[in-house]
Amino acid sequence: MEIKDNIFSRQFETIVEKELISVEYSFQEKKIFLTKLNVPETFKNEEFVSNFLKNIMEIAIERKLKVVPIQPKIVAFFKKNPVYKELLPPGIRL
């Protein structure tokens, strides 16, 4: 999976089935806030979306960032994948 960090639009992007899937973000200090998951209505492959989010978590690990999930589907991803809870900043509970 190829993920582009579109700094201008402040989002991670990937293309699948000719559709753009993205996660919008913002930065504050050493934290990345994942604010919105954009998936076309016709795209129903939840496993692909989960893998996309896992790849974004790996980017956060590489960049030594803490992750603050804002959007409910991203919060649900953290609940289903407790291995990534170490990326949450102190005091953030899901």
Side-chain angles (χ1 to χ4, degrees), residues 21-39:
I21 298 175
S22 65
V23 172
E24 296 176 18
Y25 63 78
S26 64
F27 284 108
Q28 183 180 8
E29 298 171 8
K30 289 217 165 236
K31 296 182 208 104
I32 185 168
F33 291 75
L34 302 180
T35 57
K36 188 172 181 187
L37 174 63
N38 299 304
V39 180

Side-chain angles (χ1 to χ4, degrees), residues 35-94:
T35 57
K36 188 172 181 187
L37 174 63
N38 299 304
V39 180
E41 287 182 25
T42 57
F43 190 79
K44 302 295 182 198
N45 189 339
E46 293 297 323
E47 185 176 334
F48 184 89
V49 173
S50 180
N51 286 333
F52 179 49
L53 291 171
K54 287 177 183 177
N55 279 285
I56 292 171
M57 296 309 118
E58 294 303 318
I59 292 169
I61 290 167
E62 288 172 17
R63 296 180 183 178
K64 297 182 172 134
L65 298 170
K66 291 294 185 183
V67 178
V68 181
I70 303 295
Q71 203 264 352
K73 284 189 178 183
I74 300 172
V75 170
F77 167 82
F78 269 86
K79 289 179 179 178
K80 289 180 187 172
N81 297 278
V83 68
Y84 296 113
K85 286 191 177 180
E86 67 187 32
L87 293 175
L88 297 171
I92 300 288
R93 297 186 191 270
L94 303 177

Side-chain angles (χ1 to χ4, degrees), residues 4-26:
K4 177 184 175 191
D5 183 358
N6 184 333
I7 297 168
F8 180 74
S9 296
R10 292 189 317 254
Q11 65 185 16
F12 294 107
E13 305 171 339
T14 192
I15 304 286
V16 64
E17 299 173 10
K18 298 180 182 177
E19 297 282 354
L20 176 70
I21 298 175
S22 65
V23 172
E24 296 176 18
Y25 63 78
S26 64

